[in-house]
Amino acid sequence: MPNMRIVVVGGTAAGPKAAARAKRLNQGAEVILIQKAPELSMASCGYPYYVSGDVAARDQLLSTPAGVVRDPLFFAGAKGVKALVNAEVTGVDPKAKTVTFRKAAGGPETLEYDKLILCTGSTPRVPPFPGVGLEGIFTLHSMSDADVLRAVGAGAAGKNAVVAGGGLIGMETCEALAACGMNVTVVEKLPNILAFLDPELSMLVENHARAKGVRVVTGMGVAGFEGADGRVSAVRLEDGSSLPCDLAVVALGVAPNVGLARDAGLAIGATGGIAVDEHMRTSDPDIYAAGDCVEVTCRLTGGKTLAPYGDLANLEGRVAGENAALGDKAVFPGTIHSGICKVFDLAAGATGLSERRARQAGYDVVTAVNASPDKPGFMGAKLLVSKMIADAGTGRILGFQCVGAGEVNRQVAEAAVAVMAGLTVEEAGMADLPYAPPFSLAIDHFIATAHVLDNKMRGLFAGESCIEVRRGLDEGREQYFLDVRGPKEFEEMRLGVGETLIPLGQLRNRLDELPADKGARIVAYCKVSMRGYEAQRILEGRGYDNVVVMEGGIMAWPFGREK
Amino acid sequence: MPNMRIVVVGGTAAGPKAAARAKRLNQGAEVILIQKAPELSMASCGYPYYVSGDVAARDQLLSTPAGVVRDPLFFAGAKGVKALVNAEVTGVDPKAKTVTFRKAAGGPETLEYDKLILCTGSTPRVPPFPGVGLEGIFTLHSMSDADVLRAVGAGAAGKNAVVAGGGLIGMETCEALAACGMNVTVVEKLPNILAFLDPELSMLVENHARAKGVRVVTGMGVAGFEGADGRVSAVRLEDGSSLPCDLAVVALGVAPNVGLARDAGLAIGATGGIAVDEHMRTSDPDIYAAGDCVEVTCRLTGGKTLAPYGDLANLEGRVAGENAALGDKAVFPGTIHSGICKVFDLAAGATGLSERRARQAGYDVVTAVNASPDKPGFMGAKLLVSKMIADAGTGRILGFQCVGAGEVNRQVAEAAVAVMAGLTVEEAGMADLPYAPPFSLAIDHFIATAHVLDNKMRGLFAGESCIEVRRGLDEGREQYFLDVRGPKEFEEMRLGVGETLIPLGQLRNRLDELPADKGARIVAYCKVSMRGYEAQRILEGRGYDNVVVMEGGIMAWPFGREK
């Protein structure tokens, strides 16, 4: 005779975690998991790699590390959880404490619960575009979506695809379709792709995608779809132009599934997600919710936000499961917006607030962009370009972004802990991190980035964003471009903006070649930033008082260059 | 006319950093760097990879990322620092504020300073073993050491080498010599190699080195060297046995070079390093010190410690240089003992205190070992085995260690920030880290390790170290070994300790096969730990009250197994 019955609705990420945790902590409970799809506990973040063929077998997305498929038999045996699949919950009655559901071929059934956990997930946002019902228009959100897109992609080499939306899923899908041999165009309505990055970094990713043969259209939304014989033949853009295509994927984000919760009278937050407290409890004391369907707290602003990420779903499910089983002890503290994605040979990651988001939240921010290798050159260094965002008043790190072919993963992970712990730029600059040449530089890139920002905050480093420098160029601002790299580097590649080359090592002896006016604006730069910074300090030591360093140097310059 | 003169003694890591920083911040200063060796700013942590041939060219260790050799010409031009090489400082007179030095072929010269920065480094500890003067006995500490060992190694395939000391440098040297085709024996006096790890993890590294053909002798010190014709022919061990060899490397740690400081009357700390305050200032107000020659504060215990690492040398040099130039503003907060090294296909890293070190410091500690993959199986997962150490009272994370073929680097870096920030196990368990399948699991290994320890601290997870389990076996303790993996896994490999296999999925229906006595000690385990934990919870739910889970499962079992 069970001591309680816990019903969990939803079986992808948060649901299975909540169910398993609840049962582990209360072996006397009966735990029932109701899942609409045929599969359980799918590794949904792996779908793009299944579409591309990188994941060879479907079962790999559905199995434990030991190779056992996570089906109802597995859940019963290993987890002690009764899992129903192909079963859709159609209603919740909080007063009677029942859920009503319907199996694939059956009438409605009703189940009583002591505690209920809603993990109803999310649905891709597909606006009611003209032609949206045409064949050949897909989303990539469910296992069946992935099955369909993989099958389509397998025979699509040479065909044209348009991905509407340049966010995380959009860029992962873009790469997957390109791996299938398709000609891919990504269309993003915002000025840049990957909105968790500020433009300095997202433009670098755009350039990389273009170098991989992808067409990237930004600042332009999709207006609709054109078709022939019921099949999509083109994507129409807001400017009236059309992109011919054989298939299109809509990746414009997801919306929380809150229908059940709303119909049951549970509070829905202003963001559109189910409102929960820090224990993941809804407005009904016996109903918890977790995963894509809820809104959570942003740990930096204190505000509510939607954070539909697989890792958070697991943590939230863990908390909901524990509290349903044992009472409200466990706390989910919220998100700091950490994320990462692979875009061809680059990784792009971020944690905390972007500059844009921090300013929106009312912070007075200082930022710096830094470019440096992830390891010593003799160990096969790869470049990283990062941006650190801090509160001007306290120096607290609010956010960190990193893009590059190097080990972005470590950088963003250590930065995430720093942001979460509330470290200041100065504290990060004195971190004692693991160092050996196969793994990092003696001064790790994250620490170096903190040094750059710390120097800037103290008025030692006069850094300026490449975007600001570009704006000056576009506006015809009077400025003297001083490239302080070596002649060989200059010959191989340069900005081509009328710059003067004076290698840093010669600068002290060639000051007479600079503008005589000590107040002239001089933009110094090198490949990354270090030599540019040295040049600034030298010139200031000689009385120049309007010298800036272009942050990140040529490697962070996302605009055209001369080669 | 310079506004001040700053003299820096020592040109490897801390010295060049201090000199360059001082000049950058005070362009009016004259900065003079005096270096004993012919080279400057050597990437000394790269020496093992130069010996092995992984670093193709010598200049790679001596050049900037742009390929410019960091010689006196470079320092003059790019850094504005006057660097003297082959120049040995022989005395410091703090009253007269002078240093006396001697160039390669010259008499003594004297130089006045306003501020002095001592970066005199360290020297390998080579005890006065009998036979220590024989040819063929090396250290790997200087560029010339590296040159010699590389030349010797290049023709040494098939020859026998003994490395005395199984610390970081010893294991890196071991790998380098093995890469030269030598038969390598590592001799470590302590019970295990890599003393920054606790035995659970260091034994895994030992096993890996053995699998790579290295002989690892532990718990046995070197007693001396035997020779023939003035050349080493064997290493004699403390038990009287001998290891025949063609060459030997002594890697028994380093001692700070404090002769100049001591002779000048500066305070030397109890650890043997130059005593400095948080500004890196010595007992003389005009003399700073940084790098291997100083003792620094352990941020966890508050005590003084020697921390001769290249990354810290750079941070210390940066602080010393700034304070010498601008006055005592910058602070070096100390070390948390972060380190990492590559040992063949594994990485081994640690941060904070080991269990042993934490207990020595008086902490009441709780620990857990966790084994799990770094990424999803479908993305090419590799195993990680970690140990987390926390203060039992507060839950504060004191240390974290990780060993594996997977991405140890990210794990230890994020843990280092957590330790530095004083996060608790519970806080770490709710971290929001960057996640995507190419980079990590949905629940990152570090978070999962925190979950294991949190469950253990709350009495939910009855984990026990494999060492404790092994001790029970050795002592003939009555215990029932319950392997809950699948039959195929069992057939491929098992402990072979008289265990019973009951796959987890069948356990609930096969409880009658277990000991009838509900108080019987049952040791449950699986490949890693998760299924073992489920088994524990199931059995406790049925009244068994003496069930433990072997932490890290079979993957963390460092003793013999049946295959």
Side-chain angles (χ1 to χ4, degrees):
Chain A
M1 183 63 190
N3 57 26
M4 69 188 301
R5 179 188 282 160
I6 299 171
V7 174
V8 180
V9 181
T12 300
K17 186 74 189 174
R21 175 85 173 159
K23 180 69 183 181
R24 262 199 303 279
L25 299 190
N26 182 351
Q27 290 287 328
E30 180 187 27
V31 180
I32 301 175
L33 178 67
I34 308 180
Q35 163 78 325
K36 191 170 160 186
E39 305 85 9
L40 283 163
S41 202
M42 305 86 90
S44 54
C45 299
Y47 292 159
Y49 308 97
Y50 173 65
V51 170
S52 68
D54 287 330
V55 177
R58 191 176 192 273
D59 271 1
Q60 292 181 272
L61 297 174
L62 304 171
S63 304
T64 69
V68 179
V69 172
R70 291 179 292 248
D71 57 12
L73 200 66
F74 164 80
F75 271 91
K79 303 290 175 183
V81 169
K82 181 177 177 186
L84 309 175
V85 294
N86 296 308
E88 184 177 2
V89 173
T90 54
V92 173
D93 183 340
K95 279 201 183 130
K97 296 179 75 171
T98 60
V99 298
T100 305
F101 65 98
R102 192 189 298 267
K103 289 187 198 151
E109 299 180 47
T110 294
L111 202 59
E112 291 182 12
Y113 64 78
D114 294 297
K115 301 288 177 187
L116 177 67
I117 307 177
L118 294 176
C119 304
T120 45
S122 57
T123 303
R125 291 184 197 270
V126 182
F129 293 130
V132 76
L134 292 164
E135 270 183 53
I137 301 174
F138 305 98
T139 55
L140 181 51
H141 188 71
S142 65
M143 190 70 234
S144 64
D145 286 348
D147 286 331
V148 169
L149 210 50
R150 178 176 164 113
V152 168
K159 293 192 176 176
N160 298 315
V162 172
V163 177
L168 280 163
I169 304 295
M171 294 312 295
E172 287 175 351
T173 304
C174 158
E175 183 179 351
L177 298 179
C180 295
M182 303 188 75
N183 308 309
V184 186
T185 302
V186 173
V187 179
E188 171 59 53
K189 190 182 172 83
L190 294 171
N192 296 101
I193 64 167
L194 295 176
F196 62 93
L197 301 176
D198 286 314
E200 296 95 325
L201 300 203
S202 52
M203 283 189 283
L204 298 174
V205 183
E206 288 165 12
N207 287 344
H208 179 69
R210 288 184 182 118
K212 289 290 176 176
V214 172
R215 187 171 166 199
V216 181
V217 178
T218 56
M220 177 67 61
V222 167
F225 299 95
E226 296 165 8
D229 302 327
R231 275 198 65 82
V232 68
S233 61
V235 172
R236 197 163 55 244
L237 303 182
E238 287 174 337
D239 67 354
S241 66
S242 285
L243 297 169
C245 68
D246 302 292
L247 71 88
V249 178
V250 178
L252 298 168
V254 297
N257 293 333
V258 300
L260 272 184
R262 179 180 286 129
D263 291 349
L266 303 182
I268 306 297
T271 68
I274 301 172
V276 291
D277 66 11
E278 62 181 1
H279 304 295
M280 304 310 293
R281 197 163 65 166
T282 68
S283 54
D284 181 295
D286 296 314
I287 305 181
Y288 296 82
D292 287 7
C293 61
V294 303
E295 62 173 27
V296 296
T297 303
C298 167
R299 295 170 73 167
L300 291 153
T301 65
K304 294 295 179 184
T305 185
L306 296 172
Y309 299 107
D311 55 332
L312 297 181
N314 273 281
L315 295 180
E316 292 160 18
R318 191 171 185 271
V319 167
E322 172 170 345
N323 290 338
L326 301 183
D328 289 356
K329 286 181 185 159
V331 166
F332 175 72
T335 179
I336 56 167
H337 310 286
S338 301
I340 189 168
C341 75
K342 178 177 173 297
V343 181
F344 298 98
D345 305 335
L346 295 188
T351 185
L353 304 177
S354 64
E355 178 178 357
R356 183 179 45 236
R357 215 161 170 168
R359 290 196 190 281
Q360 282 166 359
Y363 282 105
D364 180 17
V365 302
V366 284
T367 73
V369 170
N370 177 42
S372 70
D374 58 351
K375 298 179 209 176
F378 60 82
M379 295 306 289
K382 291 181 183 167
L383 190 77
L384 300 171
V385 181
S386 291
K387 178 172 177 176
M388 187 176 280
I389 298 104
D391 177 50
T394 61
R396 180 183 171 179
I397 301 172
L398 297 173
F400 179 81
Q401 311 170 11
C402 182
V403 163
E407 206 181 5
V408 170
N409 184 24
R410 159 173 165 163
Q411 297 298 318
V412 180
E414 64 197 40
V417 181
V419 167
M420 173 183 150
L423 294 193
T424 64
V425 174
E426 191 180 351
E427 288 169 332
M430 285 292 153
D432 177 2
L433 297 174
Y435 159 61
F439 306 106
S440 71
L441 287 182
I443 296 190
D444 179 57
H445 174 78
F446 175 66
I447 295 179
T449 307
H451 288 172
V452 172
L453 183 51
D454 190 50
N455 284 334
K456 192 172 174 180
M457 292 170 74
R458 293 169 57 197
L460 302 170
F461 171 66
E464 191 170 279
S465 151
C466 58
I467 291 179
E468 186 58 31
V469 171
R470 174 81 241 178
R471 183 177 300 129
L473 264 177
D474 293 341
E475 293 174 354
R477 193 171 182 180
E478 187 85 17
Q479 46 193 1
Y480 181 90
F481 281 87
L482 177 62
D483 185 333
V484 294
R485 297 174 304 150
K488 187 155 167 279
E489 294 173 275
F490 187 81
E491 196 176 327
E492 283 170 3
M493 182 251 293
R494 61 202 161 274
L495 294 192
V497 293
E499 64 267 42
T500 301
L501 175 75
I502 303 182
L504 177 65
Q506 301 172 15
L507 184 60
R508 285 182 175 82
N509 299 323
R510 292 176 60 182
L511 291 167
D512 53 348
E513 298 175 35
L514 295 178
D517 174 12
K518 295 285 174 90
R521 175 175 158 90
I522 297 178
V523 179
Y525 61 92
C526 59
K527 185 178 179 188
V528 286
S529 280
M530 190 61 208
R531 286 172 288 174
Y533 174 37
E534 294 276 7
Q536 173 219 318
R537 298 297 302 172
I538 292 169
L539 296 183
E540 287 177 349
R542 305 304 171 101
Y544 287 89
D545 63 3
N546 194 11
V547 185
V548 299
V549 182
M550 192 173 75
E551 293 179 4
I554 289 188
M555 297 320 294
W557 177 258
F559 311 107
R561 298 190 290 224
E562 284 185 6
K563 281 187 214 194
Chain B
M1 183 64 190
N3 57 27
M4 69 188 300
R5 180 188 280 161
I6 299 171
V7 173
V8 180
V9 180
T12 300
K17 185 75 189 174
R21 175 85 172 157
K23 180 69 183 182
R24 262 198 302 278
L25 299 191
N26 182 351
Q27 289 289 328
E30 180 188 28
V31 181
I32 301 175
L33 178 67
I34 307 180
Q35 163 77 325
K36 190 171 162 185
E39 304 85 10
L40 282 163
S41 201
M42 306 85 91
S44 53
C45 299
Y47 293 159
Y49 308 97
Y50 173 66
V51 169
S52 68
D54 287 329
V55 176
R58 190 177 192 272
D59 271 0
Q60 292 181 269
L61 296 175
L62 304 171
S63 304
T64 69
V68 178
V69 173
R70 291 179 292 249
D71 57 13
L73 200 65
F74 164 79
F75 270 92
K79 302 291 176 184
V81 169
K82 181 177 179 185
L84 310 175
V85 294
N86 296 309
E88 184 175 4
V89 173
T90 53
V92 172
D93 183 339
K95 278 201 187 132
K97 296 178 74 170
T98 60
V99 297
T100 305
F101 65 97
R102 191 189 301 266
K103 289 188 198 150
E109 299 181 44
T110 294
L111 202 57
E112 291 183 13
Y113 65 78
D114 294 295
K115 300 289 177 186
L116 177 67
I117 307 177
L118 295 176
C119 304
T120 45
S122 57
T123 303
R125 293 184 196 271
V126 181
F129 293 131
V132 76
L134 291 164
E135 269 183 54
I137 301 175
F138 306 97
T139 55
L140 181 51
H141 188 72
S142 66
M143 190 70 236
S144 65
D145 286 349
D147 286 330
V148 169
L149 209 51
R150 178 176 164 114
V152 168
K159 294 191 175 177
N160 297 316
V162 172
V163 177
L168 279 164
I169 304 294
M171 293 313 294
E172 287 175 351
T173 303
C174 158
E175 184 180 350
L177 298 178
C180 295
M182 303 189 74
N183 307 309
V184 186
T185 302
V186 173
V187 179
E188 171 58 55
K189 190 181 173 86
L190 294 172
N192 296 100
I193 64 167
L194 295 177
F196 62 94
L197 301 175
D198 287 315
E200 296 95 324
L201 299 204
S202 52
M203 283 191 283
L204 297 175
V205 184
E206 289 165 11
N207 288 345
H208 179 69
R210 288 182 181 118
K212 290 290 177 176
V214 172
R215 186 171 167 198
V216 181
V217 178
T218 55
M220 176 66 63
V222 166
F225 299 94
E226 297 165 5
D229 302 328
R231 275 198 65 80
V232 68
S233 62
V235 172
R236 195 160 59 244
L237 303 183
E238 288 174 337
D239 67 354
S241 66
S242 285
L243 296 168
C245 67
D246 301 291
L247 72 88
V249 178
V250 178
L252 297 169
V254 297
N257 294 332
V258 300
L260 272 185
R262 181 181 285 126
D263 292 348
L266 303 182
I268 306 297
T271 67
I274 301 172
V276 290
D277 66 11
E278 62 181 1
H279 304 293
M280 304 310 294
R281 198 164 65 167
T282 68
S283 55
D284 182 296
D286 295 314
I287 305 180
Y288 297 83
D292 286 9
C293 60
V294 304
E295 62 174 27
V296 295
T297 303
C298 167
R299 296 170 73 167
L300 291 153
T301 65
K304 294 295 179 184
T305 185
L306 295 172
Y309 298 108
D311 56 332
L312 297 182
N314 273 282
L315 295 180
E316 291 161 19
R318 192 171 183 272
V319 168
E322 172 170 344
N323 290 339
L326 300 184
D328 288 357
K329 287 181 184 159
V331 166
F332 177 72
T335 180
I336 57 168
H337 310 287
S338 301
I340 189 168
C341 74
K342 179 178 173 297
V343 182
F344 298 97
D345 305 335
L346 294 189
T351 185
L353 304 176
S354 63
E355 179 178 357
R356 180 178 48 237
R357 214 160 170 170
R359 289 194 190 283
Q360 283 167 358
Y363 282 103
D364 180 16
V365 302
V366 283
T367 73
V369 170
N370 177 42
S372 70
D374 58 351
K375 296 179 213 179
F378 60 82
M379 296 305 291
K382 292 181 182 167
L383 191 77
L384 301 170
V385 182
S386 291
K387 178 173 177 175
M388 186 177 280
I389 297 104
D391 177 50
T394 62
R396 180 184 171 178
I397 302 172
L398 298 172
F400 180 81
Q401 312 170 10
C402 182
V403 162
E407 206 182 4
V408 170
N409 184 22
R410 160 173 166 162
Q411 297 299 317
V412 180
E414 63 198 39
V417 180
V419 167
M420 172 184 151
L423 293 193
T424 64
V425 174
E426 192 180 349
E427 287 169 333
M430 284 293 153
D432 177 3
L433 297 174
Y435 159 61
F439 306 106
S440 70
L441 287 183
I443 296 189
D444 178 59
H445 175 79
F446 174 66
I447 296 179
T449 307
H451 288 173
V452 172
L453 183 52
D454 190 51
N455 284 334
K456 191 172 176 181
M457 292 171 74
R458 292 170 58 197
L460 300 170
F461 170 66
E464 192 171 277
S465 150
C466 58
I467 291 179
E468 186 58 31
V469 170
R470 174 81 242 180
R471 183 178 300 129
L473 264 177
D474 294 342
E475 293 173 352
R477 191 171 183 180
E478 186 85 20
Q479 47 194 359
Y480 179 89
F481 280 87
L482 176 63
D483 185 333
V484 293
R485 295 175 303 150
K488 187 156 166 278
E489 294 173 274
F490 186 81
E491 197 175 327
E492 284 170 4
M493 181 251 292
R494 59 202 162 273
L495 294 191
V497 293
E499 64 268 43
T500 301
L501 175 75
I502 304 182
L504 177 64
Q506 302 171 16
L507 184 60
R508 286 183 175 82
N509 299 321
R510 291 176 60 182
L511 292 167
D512 54 347
E513 298 174 36
L514 295 177
D517 174 10
K518 295 287 175 89
R521 175 176 158 89
I522 298 177
V523 179
Y525 61 92
C526 59
K527 184 177 179 187
V528 286
S529 280
M530 190 61 209
R531 286 172 288 175
Y533 174 39
E534 294 276 6
Q536 173 220 317
R537 299 296 303 174
I538 292 170
L539 296 182
E540 288 177 349
R542 306 303 172 100
Y544 286 89
D545 62 3
N546 193 10
V547 185
V548 299
V549 182
M550 192 173 76
E551 292 179 4
I554 289 188
M555 297 321 294
W557 177 258
F559 311 107
R561 298 190 289 224
E562 284 184 6
K563 282 187 213 194

